[in-house]
Amino acid sequence: MGAGDSPVATRGSSLAPSQPATEALERDLAARFWERLRVFGVRRLGDAALAEDLAQETLRRVTASLREGRVDDLSALPAFVFQTATNLCLHEYRSRGREQKALTRLTGMASTTPESGPLDALVREEVRDRVRRALGDLPPADQELLRRIYYDDEPGADTARRLEVTPGTLRVRKHRALERLARILGEWRL
Amino acid sequence: MMDRPLTCDDVDQRELDRRYVAGTLPEDEASAFEAHFFGCDRCWALVKGGAAVRASHAPAPGAAHRPARAPWWRPLALAAGFVLVLFGAWRALRPTGPGPDGTVRGSGDSLAVRTVYDASDLQIDWDAPAAGSSYRVRIYAADGGVLLERTITGKTLRIARDSLPAAAEKGALEVQAFDALRRPVAQSPLIPLRPPQ
């Protein structure tokens, strides 16, 4: 979705909007920020369920602010959503995140292994399967490139040297590989 | 470095998407990147795609979120199972034993792995199978717990001896090879670790 596809992103400013407009805005708000908020939350709190709570509460508060006309400039909405999530995280969720992590350690059920990433907990098994199949439909060079970058966490300079391309070319290849993957996947959520 | 908002060019130059997905960005950079991708669909697509690629290669979270209480006998069963596995590996290896170069070979298409201790490091290397693309090395404690895990694309891993947990001395290691789609293609037997005294 491009920034221009979204009513949230394209409206320049707003007074208190009418009810139907507010509802459309709320739908758009969720479509645009739900996944980003979950990613934000799981990285900071280390728990997918808490991250979902944080995302819901953030959207609830931002929606309330929109309804009350407290958001003057909708072009600044992404920053407003980010700040609301940050404040919630700092003041209401961080201790719960710490408790959850302690509980996880205590029960010996660590949610990540040394080779898993901080965001892995967000990605459901059916989504992983779908992504695996989509990756399998990519050219082998794309598959290897994406694996090296995002799973092996190999620095771009190393990958570029190995593939005998410039870092700039590597970046272009990465973007194209991800675009191809997104096209194969169609509409999907983490 | 954090005085001005990030641009997409900063993201590309500093590979913030890769490092964010791997969880290796310092907190201030990670937070600045989040503030950026909340308003940038291009960079959000990198994070979303990168996270999905990474998770699709990683082990499933599986029981990680199941709040079941472990039964009292589980540690005993784990220990007994691991002793049996070690015993089996020892039986399988005993007739030939490690060769003069320290090579231990498994059966079938399993990986031949060599371990060499020098003054500072434990070096582990193996013969890469044709389809091998990445290799996961695990060191287990005697009770079956994973003490160390590394995934690399090369066929040699050096680990500083002073970074190995003490429990590794009575543990074992295992190397598993994966193809480009992260499907396992070969595996070593469990190899008991015997650091020189």
Side-chain angles (χ1 to χ4, degrees), chain B residues 45-60:
Chain B
L46 298 177
V47 171
K48 183 177 175 181
V53 168
R54 184 172 181 105
S56 73
H57 285 89

Side-chain angles (χ1 to χ4, degrees), chain A residues 18-30:
Chain A
S18 64
Q19 184 67 20
T22 305
E23 285 170 6
L25 209 56
E26 287 169 15
R27 280 196 300 276
D28 195 59
L29 195 67

Side-chain angles (χ1 to χ4, degrees), chain B residues 67-82:
Chain B
R69 193 169 58 185
W72 63 269
W73 45 263
R74 193 172 72 171
L76 289 176
L78 279 174
F82 190 71

Side-chain angles (χ1 to χ4, degrees), chain A residues 8 10 14 28-29 37 72 74 80 101 108 111 148 168 188:
Chain A
V8 167
T10 53
S14 168
D28 195 59
L29 195 67
L37 284 165
D72 293 332
L74 285 183
F80 184 75
K101 283 178 185 171
S111 59
R148 282 188 186 282
W188 68 290

Side-chain angles (χ1 to χ4, degrees), chain A residues 122-143:
Chain A
L122 279 185
V123 189
R124 288 165 289 123
E125 192 51 39
E126 58 264 33
V127 175
R128 294 177 192 222
D129 281 342
R130 195 172 157 192
V131 174
R132 280 187 204 110
R133 286 196 299 274
L135 282 168
D137 289 339
L138 286 177
D142 282 358
Q143 295 176 32

Side-chain angles (χ1 to χ4, degrees), chain B residues 3 15-16 20 24 31 46 53 58 68 72 83 86 90 97 109 119 126 129 136 163 172 183-184:
Chain B
D3 293 344
E15 301 177 74
L16 299 182
Y20 183 83
T24 56
S31 188
L46 298 177
V53 168
W72 63 269
V83 167
L86 271 183
W90 175 74
D109 62 351
W126 50 90
R136 186 182 67 198
S163 72
R183 293 174 299 204

